[in-house]
């Protein structure tokens, strides 16, 4: 019987718990949860504000999840140090939890660049946790003028979530376009136009020079009056626990395909980890929920004595704003080709007979077929790729491949 | 575990499976009341090109990516059947993003729905298969793990 400790209580932790229990019913599991909540669906905090879900339905797992899996959760506790010499996790309150192996599933933290006068802003919020959403909810009124710093996924999802509850929303970003980490200029322009049509204003290629109470003075000289400030500039992987003990870290905690770090007995998974990206052929932080689960599960199976590797992780996103759906996957490496239609733009990136990535706007049906081409590095010469670009479907595969897909247990 | 399998060479492309699916999941007693004059949102769909047609529905995979990827924890596998809790789903389409079979599509309200083999509607077994005039889809055991 082994003693497993998991630091963090998000999706990667759940993957780890379910991974451990798929191998061992006896091993003990202790979860150290900084947030005082049972695991919830973090990406749903914007949907909560939008009224599309509530805290009960936001449970990522059933209420009896920890009990059923015999997990001891320490709510409100925080791991401060991994004492590898004694095999103990030291908590901030000084108490110690012995471990045989540990999974760091500590996620990421909001990155707030130094901004002059930020402390003069009374109503300022991050948008990472359920508690962030609940406290933001308390101050919003139909008259609120909201300034969101950051036009990435989190900032824009926040904008959509609060849209029906506030007077106005302005989003600013240093980048020259929205969703700059996943969209090129033309795709970003389509999304921006759609958001503007829904009443969101933008100040791009611009950043806050100075805050003074309820006024932000921008680098461009523009002045924005606001009542509520949301900071969604970016996130950074929580790598401190590994860095401090000399573990290999980069942008994230570096892990191999078994999710083992450079420190024996220590695994890492989810937003804090830097694991293999099959579309890049190198390690990279993949800060998305599916990856957190899959990495966590891989770590759990290996911790409990099973043997598994996660070799086909890729970046991928499905996001919608006010009815417009956008999907993307992979890296955008190689030659680009596109398909256009009314309100539709699909871009495909091909290199060495492989689909390295894609962006879809407005038409996302059966996109998983494209995602699988990226993930599995399917040679495009084996399928009718020209037909596939027009419409995602399985007719583009050979009859033989289809027989396997739809005629056997998969 | 019985699943729905495709014999594409026998498929006529008649789309009856789609109508039977929409009817079976409507909860309405008569087919005409359920479907007539309506755009249908079935959980199986016929695909193909000029040469071949075939019906695609959830494979109830051994290792379902949709279950592991759902950002709402709304999809799970129970007794071999991949099911969705529509109360929890917010319609983000991440399951569409990851399903390699292209088997999932949202319902009329934008919230996801999926084939659950008609096990919990009044049909009790896949209505698509039952109504297929040419055995182009069958419901049977073909081995493999759960
Ligand atoms: C608003 C928003 C929308 C998003 N939308 C999407 C989306 O649509 N699709 C998608 O794929 N992803 C989305 N994401 C990203 C997704 O939420 C993350 O990728 C996922 O939650 C990562 O899971 P994790 O378990 O690695 O980390 P987290 O969920 O961040 O969990 C880590 C936990 O560890 C805790 N912790 C940290 N340090 C310690 C410590 N020392 N001791 C104890 N506990 C600690 C933290 O408090 C946190 O609760 C979104 C994120 C946000 C904020």
């Amino acid at each position: 019987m082994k003693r497993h400790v998991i630091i963090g209580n998000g999706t990667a932790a759940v993957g780890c718990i379910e991974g451990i229990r798929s191998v061992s019913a006896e091993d003990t599991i202790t979860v150290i949860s900084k947030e005082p909540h049972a695991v919830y669906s973090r990406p749903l905090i914007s949907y909560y504000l939008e009224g599309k879900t509530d805290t009960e339905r936001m449970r990522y797992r059933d209420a009896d999840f920890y009990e059923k899996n015999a997990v001891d959760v320490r709510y409100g506790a925080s791991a401060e140090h991994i004492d590898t010499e004694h095999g103990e996790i030291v908590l901030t309150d000084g108490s110690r939890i012995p471990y045989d192996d540990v999974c760091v599933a500590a996620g990421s933290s909001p990155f707030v660049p130094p901004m002059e006068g930020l402390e003069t802003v009374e109503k300022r919020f991050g948008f990472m946790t359920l508690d962030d959403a609940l406290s933001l909810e308390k101050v919003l009124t139909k008259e609120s003028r909201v300034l969101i710093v950051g036009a990435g996924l989190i900032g824009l999802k926040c904008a959509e979530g609060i849209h029906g509850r506030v007077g106005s929303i302005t989003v600013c970003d240093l980048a020259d376009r929205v969703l700059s980490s996943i969209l090129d200029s033309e795709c970003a322009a389509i999304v921006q136009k759609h958001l503007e049509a829904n009443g969101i204003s933008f100040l791009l290629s611009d950043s806050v020079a100075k805050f003074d109470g309820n006024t932000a003075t921008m680098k461009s000289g523009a002045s924005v009056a606001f009542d509520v400030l949301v900071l969604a500039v970016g996130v950074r992987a929580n790598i401190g626990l590994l860095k401090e003990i000399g573990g290999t870290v980069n942008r994230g905690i570096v892990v191999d395909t078994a999710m083992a770090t450079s420190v024996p007995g220590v695994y890492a998974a989810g937003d804090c980890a830097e694991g293999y990206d099959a579309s890049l052929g190198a390690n990279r932080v993949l800060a998305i929920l599916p990856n957190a689960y899959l990495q966590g599960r891989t770590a759990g199976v290996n911790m409990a004595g099973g043997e598994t590797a996660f070799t086909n992780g890729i970046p991928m996103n499905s996001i919608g704003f006010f009815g417009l759906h956008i999907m993307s996957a992979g890296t955008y490496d190689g030659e680009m080709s596109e398909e256009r239609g009314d309100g539709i733009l699909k871009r495909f990136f091909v290199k060495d007979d492989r689909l390295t990535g894609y962006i879809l706007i407005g038409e996302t049906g059966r996109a998983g077929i494209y995602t699988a081409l990226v993930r599995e590095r399917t040679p495009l010469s084996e399928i009718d790729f020209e037909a596939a670009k027009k419409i995602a479907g399985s007719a583009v595969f050979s009859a033989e491949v289809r027989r396997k897909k739809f005629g056997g247990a998969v | 575990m019985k699943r729905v399998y495709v014999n594409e060479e026998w498929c006529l492309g008649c789309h009856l499976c789609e109508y039977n699916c929409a009817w079976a999941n409507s909860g309405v007693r008569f087919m005409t009341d359920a479907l007539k004059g309506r755009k249908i949102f079935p959980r199986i769909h016929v695909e193909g090109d000029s040469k071949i047609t075939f019906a695609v529905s959830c494979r109830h995979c051994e290792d379902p990516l949709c279950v592991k990827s759902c950002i709402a924890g709304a999809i799970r596998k129970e007794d071999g059947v991949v099911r969705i809790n529509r109360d929890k789903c917010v319609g983000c389409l991440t399951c569409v993003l990851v399903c390699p079979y292209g088997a999932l599509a949202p319902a009329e309200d934008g919230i996801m729905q999926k084939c659950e083999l008609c096990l919990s509607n009044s049909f009790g077994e896949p209505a698509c298969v039952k109504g297929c005039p040419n055995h182009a889809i069958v419901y049977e055991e073909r081995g493999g793990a759960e």
Side-chain angles (χ1 to χ4, degrees):
Chain A
M1 191 194 77
K2 277 173 111 180
R3 298 160 303 173
H4 308 289
V5 175
I6 302 171
I7 300 175
N9 186 23
T11 295
V14 170
C16 189
I17 293 166
E18 293 178 351
I20 292 170
R21 286 291 173 246
S22 73
V23 177
S24 162
E26 285 83 44
D27 290 3
T28 67
I29 305 176
T30 306
V31 167
I32 307 170
S33 175
K34 194 185 267 185
E35 289 185 70
H37 303 290
V39 63
Y40 60 91
S41 302
R42 186 173 308 289
L44 265 48
I45 61 174
S46 68
Y47 296 88
Y48 168 83
L49 291 175
E50 209 180 337
K52 287 194 170 167
T53 188
D54 53 47
T55 51
E56 194 50 38
R57 287 182 289 163
M58 280 172 79
R59 283 181 185 282
Y60 183 63
R61 286 294 183 265
D62 289 345
D64 60 1
F65 171 75
Y66 300 105
E67 200 191 318
K68 271 197 170 152
N69 286 288
V71 178
D72 174 13
V73 192
R74 311 284 174 89
Y75 288 108
S78 192
E80 190 169 70
H81 176 63
I82 304 172
D83 180 349
T84 50
E85 194 185 328
H86 299 99
E88 289 174 336
I89 305 298
V90 185
L91 304 189
T92 40
D93 67 6
S95 60
R96 290 171 166 263
I97 302 173
Y99 72 85
D100 294 310
D101 49 30
V102 54
C103 182
V104 181
S108 53
S109 299
F111 163 64
V112 185
M115 286 183 275
E116 195 186 330
L118 187 57
E119 67 289 347
T120 67
V121 180
E122 193 197 327
K123 292 174 182 155
R124 68 186 137 99
F125 302 87
F127 201 64
M128 290 284 290
T129 64
L130 178 59
D131 289 343
D132 286 340
L134 295 174
S135 43
L136 181 57
E137 180 181 36
K138 285 204 188 92
V139 306
L140 296 179
T141 71
K142 278 282 181 196
E143 280 74 48
S144 302
R145 297 163 302 174
V146 182
L147 174 61
I148 299 176
V149 183
L153 187 140
I154 293 176
L156 294 186
K157 267 308 204 189
C158 177
E160 182 189 48
I162 64 177
H163 176 258
R165 295 176 172 255
V166 301
S168 68
I169 302 172
T170 303
V171 182
C172 70
D173 202 303
L174 194 54
D176 64 355
R177 60 186 195 274
V178 302
L179 299 172
S180 61
S181 63
I182 57 168
L183 297 184
D184 59 32
S185 302
E186 196 182 346
C187 292
I190 296 171
V191 176
Q192 183 182 339
K193 211 171 135 201
H194 181 73
L195 288 160
E196 284 169 345
N198 282 281
I200 316 267
S201 308
F202 288 94
L203 287 169
L204 298 174
S205 306
D206 205 354
S207 60
V208 177
K210 188 172 181 249
F211 287 107
D212 187 4
N214 286 352
T215 307
T217 307
M218 309 298 293
K219 290 248 163 69
S220 64
S223 166
V224 183
F226 64 91
D227 306 300
V228 178
L229 177 67
V230 177
L231 296 169
V233 182
V235 299
R236 286 200 173 153
N238 289 330
I239 59 175
L241 287 167
L242 259 284
K243 193 175 178 183
E244 181 224 10
I245 55 172
T248 307
V249 294
N250 191 22
R251 291 263 178 94
I253 299 167
V254 177
V255 289
D256 62 16
T257 55
M259 297 300 132
T261 71
S262 64
V263 179
V266 182
Y267 294 74
D271 281 12
C272 65
E274 192 178 290
Y276 187 68
D277 171 356
S279 71
L280 188 68
N283 275 32
R284 158 153 81 170
V285 174
L286 297 174
I288 50 170
L289 188 137
N291 181 63
Y293 184 88
L294 289 158
Q295 287 191 337
R297 180 138 187 149
T298 304
V301 168
N302 290 319
M303 287 160 72
E307 216 171 286
T308 187
F310 180 44
T311 55
N312 57 3
I314 55 167
M316 53 183 176
N317 277 284
S318 174
I319 16 165
F321 300 106
F322 305 106
L324 177 67
H325 282 288
I326 302 139
M327 291 191 190
S328 67
T331 55
Y332 308 140
D333 191 13
E335 197 180 327
M336 193 263 281
S337 57
E338 60 182 33
E339 295 289 327
R340 285 170 188 268
D342 190 19
I344 296 167
L345 178 56
K346 313 205 284 185
R347 288 193 158 161
F348 301 92
F349 301 83
V350 174
K351 190 180 177 182
D352 301 333
D353 200 32
R354 302 290 194 283
L355 184 65
T356 66
Y358 69 78
I359 301 172
L360 310 177
I361 298 179
E363 184 180 279
T364 55
R366 305 201 282 264
I369 292 173
Y370 299 137
T371 311
L373 295 177
V374 178
R375 187 195 305 118
E376 287 156 22
R377 301 188 41 74
T378 309
L380 297 180
S381 47
E382 288 175 8
I383 71 168
D384 184 351
F385 185 56
E386 284 311 309
K389 288 197 293 195
K390 290 196 174 56
I391 178 158
S394 295
V396 304
F397 298 109
S398 68
E400 169 73 21
V401 167
R402 261 199 314 278
R403 218 170 353 260
K404 280 192 200 127
K405 284 180 188 285
F406 301 115
V410 290
Chain B
M1 172 75 202
K2 281 166 90 175
R3 287 188 174 88
V4 175
Y5 296 106
V6 178
N7 296 321
E8 66 178 30
E9 56 280 18
W10 292 351
C11 177
L12 309 167
C14 71
H15 296 261
L16 252 181
C17 50
E18 297 176 356
Y19 286 93
N20 278 309
C21 173
W23 176 35
N25 290 299
S26 69
V28 176
R29 186 158 169 219
F30 296 108
M31 197 175 196
T32 37
D33 295 344
L35 307 181
K36 198 168 177 189
R38 298 225 169 97
K39 179 167 159 49
I40 61 166
F41 292 82
R43 300 153 189 214
I44 187 168
H45 66 270
V46 175
E47 280 182 34
D49 54 23
S50 52
K51 291 180 249 57
I52 193 86
T53 55
F54 51 92
V56 176
S57 58
C58 176
R59 311 317 302 148
H60 299 281
C61 304
E62 203 181 304
D63 183 19
L65 261 179
C66 56
V67 172
K68 294 177 171 177
S69 302
C70 177
I71 68 166
I75 313 179
R76 61 169 74 179
K77 196 168 179 188
E78 290 163 340
D79 305 325
V81 182
V82 177
R83 297 179 188 276
I84 185 159
N85 178 345
R86 299 190 80 238
D87 265 353
K88 291 180 83 172
C89 173
V90 293
C92 75
L93 307 188
T94 300
C95 49
V96 175
L97 172 78
V98 301
C99 175
Y101 304 98
L104 296 164
E108 189 164 13
D109 58 5
I111 299 300
M112 292 306 300
Q113 60 179 11
K114 66 179 299 304
C115 164
E116 298 185 359
L117 300 173
C118 289
L119 296 180
S120 27
N121 64 36
S122 64
F123 280 67
E125 62 180 305
C128 55
V129 170
K130 221 168 173 209
C132 179
N134 208 29
H135 302 290
I137 36 178
V138 293
Y139 183 50
E140 61 189 35
E141 188 97 43
R142 287 194 182 171
E146 287 307 281

